Amino acid sequence: MDNTEEKNAQTCTPDEACNNPAAEQALVTEEELQKAIDHIVDLVGRYNGRVVVAAFIEGDNTTRRIFRAANEVFASNGMNTKVYGWTGACGFLLKANECFDCNVKTMGEGVRLFLEQQNKEKMRRGMNPIAAMLGIAGCECEECED
């Protein structure tokens, strides 16, 4: 019987692997990032399923705003709450474009949602997930008390 795990076992310690110069990668340029995002946008357009991608790239003089949804995101046979959920997600991402046009109300809503999500993540890390969902107990660490 072939033991794949043993065949693929690392022959060095994790510290040695981290210090391996071959493992280091060069920094990504803005042009490489633009090409990668263009490729992803193309893939999303050809994908036969539900996917949405949004990106904001700040260059030297411009901010590029990208939004693409697969056609299947909005496809529905009758009442389908998933379609409403995906449509809502698209709406939030499209609304986020207004932040870059200095729409104060949208920027404030975005900041509020971000802080709310941060708080949820902090609660998840610091307490029982069931208690977090029910809002029963809070985290008692020093960070959360501040």
Side-chain angles (χ1 to χ4, degrees):
M1 187 159 133
D2 183 20
N3 191 341
T4 306
E5 188 174 339
E6 286 180 14
K7 277 186 168 181
N8 294 330
Q10 198 171 329
T11 58
C12 59
T13 68
D15 289 336
E16 291 171 339
C18 290
N19 294 328
N20 183 354
E24 293 180 19
Q25 295 182 4
L27 292 175
V28 176
T29 65
E30 185 179 337
E31 183 179 325
E32 289 172 319
L33 187 59
Q34 297 276 7
K35 283 181 183 178
I37 289 174
D38 289 341
H39 182 66
I40 289 171
V41 167
D42 179 53
L43 291 175
V44 168
R46 294 185 285 139
Y47 182 62
N48 188 22
R50 290 192 168 114
V51 64
V52 176
V53 66
F56 303 99
I57 304 170
E58 189 172 4
D60 293 332
N61 299 322
T62 61
T63 298
R64 182 176 174 204
R65 296 174 267 184
I66 300 148
F67 175 83
R68 182 69 193 251
N71 290 336
E72 195 64 28
V73 168
F74 306 106
S76 175
N77 296 328
M79 293 290 290
N80 186 343
T81 55
K82 280 187 180 179
V83 172
Y84 299 134
W86 280 94
T87 304
C90 291
F92 272 107
L93 293 171
L94 288 169
K95 194 77 173 156
N97 273 321
E98 290 183 16
C99 289
F100 289 90
D101 295 328
C102 297
N103 182 311
V104 178
K105 185 177 177 185
T106 304
M107 289 169 67
E109 183 67 7
V111 171
R112 185 190 67 76
L113 290 170
F114 174 74
L115 294 174
E116 190 176 282
Q117 183 60 34
Q118 266 193 331
N119 193 33
K120 286 180 184 176
E121 289 296 321
K122 193 182 284 187
M123 285 182 73
R124 272 192 216 121
R125 285 192 306 265
M127 62 194 297
N128 179 323
I130 295 171
M133 285 176 14
L134 298 173
I136 295 171
C139 180
E140 296 176 4
C141 71
E142 289 178 23
E143 281 181 22
C144 293
E145 287 178 2
D146 293 339

